[in-house]
Amino acid sequence: MSDVAPRDFIRQIIHEDLESGKHDEIVTRFPPEPNGYLHVGHVMSICLNFGVGQETNGRTFLRFDDTNPGKEREEYVRAIEYDVHWLGFDWGERLTHASDYFDQIYSAAEKLVEMGVAYVDSLSADEIREHRGTLTEAGRNSPYRERSVDENLDLFRRMRKGEFADGEHVLRAKIDMASPNMNLRDPALYRIRHIDHQRTADKWCIYPMYDFAHTMSDAFEGITHSLCTLEFEDHRPLYDWFLDQLNPPHRPRQIEFSRLNLAYTITSKRKLNMLIDNGVVAGWDDPRMPTIAGMRRRGYPAAALREFVRRGGVTKKDKLIEMGVLENCIREQLGESAERRMGVLRPLKVVLTNYPEDKVEMMQAMNHPNNADLGTREMPFSRELWIEQDDFLEEAPRKFFRLKPGGEVRLRFGYIIRCDEVVRNAAGDVVELRCSYDPDTRSGTGSSDKKVKGTIHWVSATHGVRASVRLYDRLFTEPDPNSVEDFLSVLNPDSLETVDAILEPALRDLQQSQAVQFERLGYFCADSAEHTADAPVINRIVTLRDSWAKIERQAMSSSALS
RNA sequence: UGGGGCGUAGCCAAGUGGUAAGGCAUCGGGUUUUGAUCCCGUGUACCGCAGGUUCGAAUCCUGCCGCCCCAGCCA
């Protein structure tokens, strides 16, 4: 176990359990229900459970909590396995399902019946709800609560044989209908469901409830620390009750931590589904989705996600983490690894009037400013170029270091140019800049020691590659969309903008999912589903930090004040 | 109004009775052919509030306030 690893309260407990000799080996599990796709919130649970396993040289199970057939599908199982692997974790031989233990769980239930602490109730679901009482009023015992062990056993076995219809009976724990903890008011253990299970087919027509199945599965697998989110805190007494009654050889301990909430996003399965159904996003792996599949397609590196949840920490306090933390993790990761390229998102034509018509020079461009090992590439330079519309301003403020009429700017890895003339169309829009270049300023070899304040990116017009670039932004305009009555009313209308961009020729080799930095703009990656060499589709992963935008903002607010 | 949790700077978060780490953000400055990166510097945190114990309290006690979770035959 690393001493420099951050010590959260859970790792402290685990450390103590190892020190005291309570456990020789730590065993954890990540137990998703295969009824949907994994999202950022799950990333935290995955990193915690598998992280603890790795750090302590213990074991971690990937267990599918598949106790509710009908809602669960093998499609999700495969997607979840893929996501966990992609995140960088390996469960080895420890891939299990709650359904693997259906026989053992059933035996445990029979044992509870024999012990007289579980009974078959024949009240309807509605009646059971009525008997449960409320948060402030005690519940009432079911009239079937005092059935004999023999009758209960007979009924339970017949439930299993399929003699009853769905909802006719339910197996309940006999605990305390007056407990202030609702979970202890005779919780259901088994319900009848005549429906095929994705793995056990029609072998069963009764299925165990979460609390019972989960506790038993943990015990069977020898889980030492069963880590889950805060909303299960109230379930712990029930978890412990099962263990007290059945006293299995291994006694797991449940510990709860708070969920990780990301600002400007939602993770509710229901709401995420609505985004898809309403056509707000294209699907579960839309690059704007907070699903692992969406983030992967967006181009977020797995290492960035791991670092993000590490920074979030493990506590019991409700948290809403700012987007900036995630973005910073992504930039940190990509800044080091992604090669640099040039692309112009919103092209503005520049004609170098003093540059020969058919001349082409190859400019040497570094693939990474801080890592020469990544090498160089050549960028063709010619008379007609594209530059970014944002890099030209006719009436520029003093602090604007880019191109302006009569002003000079450096073309990165190229020459310094001066804007001599602005060409407009009939509508008065600037459509072309006529500039002249200074032959003595060629990057690297220039004889001039002229310095200019600004450097901008560019692409040769005759060599540029057209590409569809998708500029993604947050899906919501509210930091906490969950706190809003109608979360669809705070959608960000600009969460996706598609532009026809022009990329430098070297980008022709970009492979699906490959990430690069477009200098001065941000990190981008070729879409893993739609990108081809002939019809490039590029996703913006995240922008670069932009202190010019900040200066502009400040200028705006100060002029607004004056 | 019952029960279970949580409250340390804008957002996270260390801290476990000895006088408030760190990260992100912010704001300054330096380097820079990415206004990126990098580097330096930058915070009066009434430690939710009020009392109490103590030589000494974010840490212990009492009361209060605020927020979250629980009434599925979902997980």
Side-chain angles (χ1 to χ4, degrees):
Chain A
M1 184 135 91
S2 167
D3 288 328
V4 293
R7 273 289 172 67
D8 51 73
F9 80 102
I10 289 179
R11 278 180 245 251
Q12 276 181 40
I13 290 170
I14 287 170
H15 181 75
E16 285 159 16
D17 287 348
L18 245 15
E19 293 278 283
S20 71
K22 178 177 179 186
H23 298 295
D24 298 326
E25 184 187 32
I26 300 303
V27 187
T28 56
R29 102 271 90 115
F30 171 60
E33 179 187 12
N35 69 343
Y37 290 87
L38 262 25
H39 55 68
V40 251
H42 294 110
V43 175
M44 180 187 182
S45 179
I46 293 167
C47 290
L48 210 213
N49 281 293
F50 280 95
V52 161
Q54 286 175 184
E55 292 156 21
T56 62
N57 261 308
R59 291 177 293 148
T60 302
F61 285 81
L62 170 58
R63 182 173 72 224
F64 290 97
D65 225 327
D66 56 350
T67 56
N68 191 12
K71 274 187 153 185
E72 300 152 359
R73 297 214 301 260
E74 279 298 305
E75 170 201 347
Y76 296 126
V77 170
R78 286 190 296 276
I80 289 168
E81 287 179 42
Y82 190 91
D83 287 347
V84 175
H85 254 149
W86 176 79
L87 264 180
F89 298 102
D90 184 23
W91 51 86
E93 301 302 303
R94 278 154 253 114
L95 176 67
T96 58
H97 305 74
S99 56
D100 295 340
Y101 310 118
F102 278 174
D103 285 302
Q104 295 170 74
I105 295 169
Y106 177 81
S107 299
E110 277 204 354
K111 192 167 175 205
L112 291 177
V113 172
E114 283 162 0
M115 291 166 69
V117 293
Y119 64 97
V120 172
D121 197 350
S122 305
L123 249 27
S124 71
D126 284 343
E127 289 167 327
I128 285 180
R129 189 180 329 109
E130 285 162 22
H131 280 72
R132 186 154 26 233
T134 69
L135 294 178
T136 51
E137 298 162 34
R140 288 143 41 220
N141 286 170
S142 163
Y144 301 100
R145 199 174 197 261
E146 298 309 326
R147 287 215 253 231
S148 70
V149 167
D150 287 346
E151 187 184 5
N152 282 141
L153 212 44
D154 173 62
L155 247 15
F156 186 43
R157 285 174 176 163
R158 287 166 60 198
M159 277 168 66
R160 179 190 187 177
K161 279 191 207 145
E163 292 185 20
F164 307 112
D166 288 7
E168 246 183 278
H169 305 285
V170 65
L171 183 73
R172 290 229 257 171
K174 189 190 284 188
I175 306 181
D176 178 9
M177 288 306 291
S179 171
N181 181 343
M182 300 301 280
N183 296 113
L184 263 20
R185 318 247 262 227
D186 290 12
L189 265 29
Y190 265 91
R191 76 286 218 189
I192 300 170
R193 270 271 216 288
H194 289 273
I195 179 174
D196 276 12
H197 182 281
Q198 62 275 17
R199 300 193 79 249
T200 61
D202 62 357
K203 181 179 176 188
W204 298 89
C205 62
I206 59 172
Y207 295 94
M209 298 290 292
Y210 161 83
D211 288 293
F212 189 48
H214 199 88
T215 310
M216 291 298 102
S217 301
D218 282 348
F220 298 148
E221 289 175 352
I223 301 298
T224 54
H225 302 267
S226 182
L227 314 177
C228 62
T229 42
L230 244 33
E231 67 269 28
F232 292 104
E233 219 153 14
D234 285 348
H235 294 238
R236 185 163 15 106
L238 179 55
Y239 188 93
D240 289 335
W241 184 86
F242 290 130
L243 297 173
D244 288 343
Q245 297 300 321
L246 296 162
N247 197 226
H250 296 285
R251 188 184 173 102
R253 198 238 270 216
Q254 174 179 306
I255 305 173
E256 312 84 11
F257 58 90
S258 62
R259 278 172 182 273
L260 175 158
N261 297 297
L262 219 206
Y264 297 99
T265 104
I266 53 170
T267 50
S268 144
K269 216 160 279 173
R270 193 190 108 254
K271 291 180 179 175
L272 254 16
N273 240 317
M274 285 173 72
L275 293 180
I276 296 172
D277 293 344
N278 292 1
V280 175
V281 297
W284 286 98
D285 67 344
D286 184 291
R288 289 165 291 179
M289 290 287 266
T291 51
I292 294 179
M295 296 189 291
R296 176 173 54 238
R297 186 166 172 192
R298 173 78 167 264
Y300 293 0
L305 257 20
R306 278 185 251 121
E307 174 63 13
F308 170 63
V309 302
R310 193 193 65 75
R311 289 186 194 180
V314 180
T315 64
K316 301 190 73 158
K317 183 175 148 188
D318 292 329
K319 51 185 135 214
L320 183 63
I321 302 179
E322 291 173 342
M323 269 284 202
V325 181
L326 209 209
E327 293 180 340
N328 180 69
C329 291
I330 295 164
R331 291 186 185 115
E332 232 170 63
Q333 187 66 33
L334 259 16
E336 206 177 309
S337 63
E339 290 197 0
R340 265 103 252 230
R341 294 290 184 269
M342 288 195 216
V344 175
L345 264 24
R346 295 179 181 84
L348 172 62
K349 176 70 72 67
V350 163
V351 177
L352 301 177
T353 53
N354 61 339
Y355 197 88
E357 200 91 35
D358 46 11
K359 182 175 179 182
V360 175
E361 286 179 89
M362 297 309 282
M363 301 300 188
Q364 280 255 300
M366 285 185 289
N367 287 331
H368 193 111
N370 313 320
N371 183 1
D373 292 347
L374 259 21
T376 61
R377 67 187 186 284
E378 295 194 318
M379 290 182 68
F381 186 89
S382 63
R383 187 172 200 261
E384 297 199 356
L385 309 168
W386 294 111
I387 67 165
E388 205 70 55
Q389 284 172 23
D390 284 351
D391 287 337
F392 173 77
L393 220 48
E394 272 203 283
E395 303 195 7
R398 210 176 306 282
K399 280 195 187 160
F400 187 77
F401 302 149
R402 284 111 95 150
L403 202 54
K404 48 192 151 192
E408 284 187 314
V409 74
R410 160 144 241 133
L411 294 177
R412 183 142 162 92
F413 301 130
Y415 295 97
I416 288 175
I417 62 170
R418 184 181 61 239
C419 176
D420 303 314
E421 187 187 343
V422 176
V423 181
R424 304 165 179 289
N425 63 11
D429 304 319
V430 175
V431 292
E432 182 181 311
L433 264 24
R434 299 186 72 80
C435 304
S436 48
Y437 84 110
D438 181 343
D440 292 332
T441 58
R442 211 239 229 226
S443 186
T445 62
S447 54
S448 163
D449 57 357
K450 183 188 285 186
K451 291 272 186 231
V452 287
K453 203 74 164 129
T455 299
I456 64 173
H457 56 99
W458 54 276
V459 171
S460 164
T462 46
H463 302 83
V465 178
R466 299 211 165 251
S468 177
V469 176
R470 296 167 176 172
L471 308 176
Y472 293 107
D473 199 357
R474 55 192 56 163
L475 264 174
F476 297 94
T477 55
E478 278 290 319
D480 187 5
N482 280 311
S483 69
V484 180
E485 333 67 57
D486 174 18
F487 78 105
L488 290 174
S489 71
V490 291
L491 278 169
N492 175 9
D494 304 316
S495 63
L496 169 60
E497 181 186 4
T498 302
V499 297
D500 291 315
I502 298 175
L503 317 178
E504 65 163 290
L507 251 6
R508 231 188 281 271
D509 299 330
L510 200 63
Q511 302 298 303
Q512 286 193 342
S513 299
Q514 190 184 344
V516 292
Q517 181 194 98
F518 285 2
E519 295 214 24
R520 304 209 308 130
L521 297 175
Y523 296 95
F524 295 75
C525 78
D527 191 76
S528 59
E530 297 174 38
H531 177 269
T532 63
D534 294 334
V537 177
I538 313 282
N539 300 326
R540 181 172 68 194
I541 302 167
V542 65
T543 62
L544 249 32
R545 281 172 69 177
D546 186 356
S547 50
W548 168 245
K550 196 163 58 191
I551 294 169
E552 272 186 311
R553 240 183 292 121
Q554 288 169 350
M556 294 261 280
S557 57
S558 65
S559 69
L561 289 172
S562 62

